[in-house]
Amino acid sequence: MAIKIFCDFDGTITEGDNIVTLIKQFASPSAKVLTSDVLSGKISIREGVEKMFSTIPSSKKEEMTKFVTESTKIRDGFQDFIQFVKQSDYDLKVVSGGLDFFVHPILADYLPSSDVLCNRTDFSSENVIIHWDHSCDEHCSNDCGMCKPSVMRKFSSSDDFIIVIGDSITDLQIAKEANLIFARDFLIEKCEELSLPYIPFTNFHDIQTALNKEVLV
Ligand SMILES: [Mg+2]
Ligand SMILES: [Zn+2]
């Protein structure tokens, strides 16, 4: 048995949600209505994100990259947590619905890019195109775009102990399959609603403390 941690990026490792911030700042006003359609489940996350980014000209690449990397704040304790995970021989994958042009640079100081799974951004056309390199496998029909449960299945086996860390609706499907959930914000509401047991956290020190107590091996 191995301990595998699948950790969200936006709103979990970072304090704010970069996708939401980028859309607010760069997408056309007509795209903003799509945000509520995604949250209400009217359209899939894939469709919503794709449509919102398709209103942004590719020429904004530099500006968007600068905007995100300068405004992002990493949640407290993440650096220590990375050390702790290494020492404990846990396997950590960052599973993000975010986009490579900001996820990879922000995480470059923390872990190898092969442990970071996210979406690919194509700036070669007039407007931004998103490529979903981790889409739903045959066990998922949610049209996730970035399919976190599919990534989990790819990188784990049935006897692994699965830990999921997340903050939002996009973490719900993978959280349902975890042995242990760390939740904040909207994911807490969802866990309550569905009676999924979870441990709340505000920073990565909380998670490290809890893991030292609860886990294992
Ligand atoms: Mg998130
Ligand atoms: Zn899926």
Side-chain angles (χ1 to χ4, degrees), residues 84 88 90 205-216:
F84 165 77
S88 313
Y90 299 162
H205 298 298
D206 302 339
I207 297 174
Q208 197 172 324
T209 307
L211 285 178
N212 272 327
K213 254 191 258 167
E214 304 251 338
V215 181
L216 312 152

Side-chain angles (χ1 to χ4, degrees), residues 171-197:
D171 304 304
L172 182 62
Q173 297 305 324
I174 188 172
K176 281 181 187 169
E177 307 194 28
N179 300 99
L180 184 62
I181 305 170
F182 288 97
R184 59 175 299 276
D185 204 49
F186 193 55
L187 186 60
I188 290 184
E189 281 175 43
K190 281 295 175 190
C191 288
E192 294 277 355
E193 210 177 294
L194 299 172
S195 307
L196 295 170

Side-chain angles (χ1 to χ4, degrees), residues 9-10 14 16-19 21-23 25-26 53 61-73 99 101-103 105-106:
F9 179 71
D10 277 307
T14 63
D17 192 306
N18 294 301
I19 289 276
T21 319
L22 275 173
I23 285 162
Q25 186 80 6
F26 292 96
F53 276 89
K61 180 184 179 182
E62 301 303 319
E63 204 185 321
M64 286 199 289
T65 309
K66 196 164 176 278
F67 176 77
V68 177
T69 47
E70 282 175 3
S71 62
T72 273
K73 197 174 173 304
L99 305 173
F101 74 90
F102 64 83
V103 176
I106 294 171

Side-chain angles (χ1 to χ4, degrees), residues 2-17:
I3 294 175
K4 306 246 161 107
I5 305 175
F6 294 93
C7 182
D8 173 50
F9 179 71
D10 277 307
T12 298
I13 295 173
T14 63
E15 294 215 338
D17 192 306

Side-chain angles (χ1 to χ4, degrees), residues 64-110:
M64 286 199 289
T65 309
K66 196 164 176 278
F67 176 77
V68 177
T69 47
E70 282 175 3
S71 62
T72 273
K73 197 174 173 304
I74 298 286
R75 192 170 297 281
D76 273 354
F78 186 63
Q79 179 79 67
D80 290 345
F81 182 69
I82 291 288
Q83 290 309 317
F84 165 77
V85 163
K86 269 190 206 151
Q87 282 159 14
S88 313
D89 239 354
Y90 299 162
D91 185 81
L92 171 66
K93 295 267 183 285
V94 174
V95 193
S96 167
L99 305 173
D100 53 359
F101 74 90
F102 64 83
V103 176
H104 282 299
I106 294 171
L107 287 178
D109 292 341
Y110 298 94

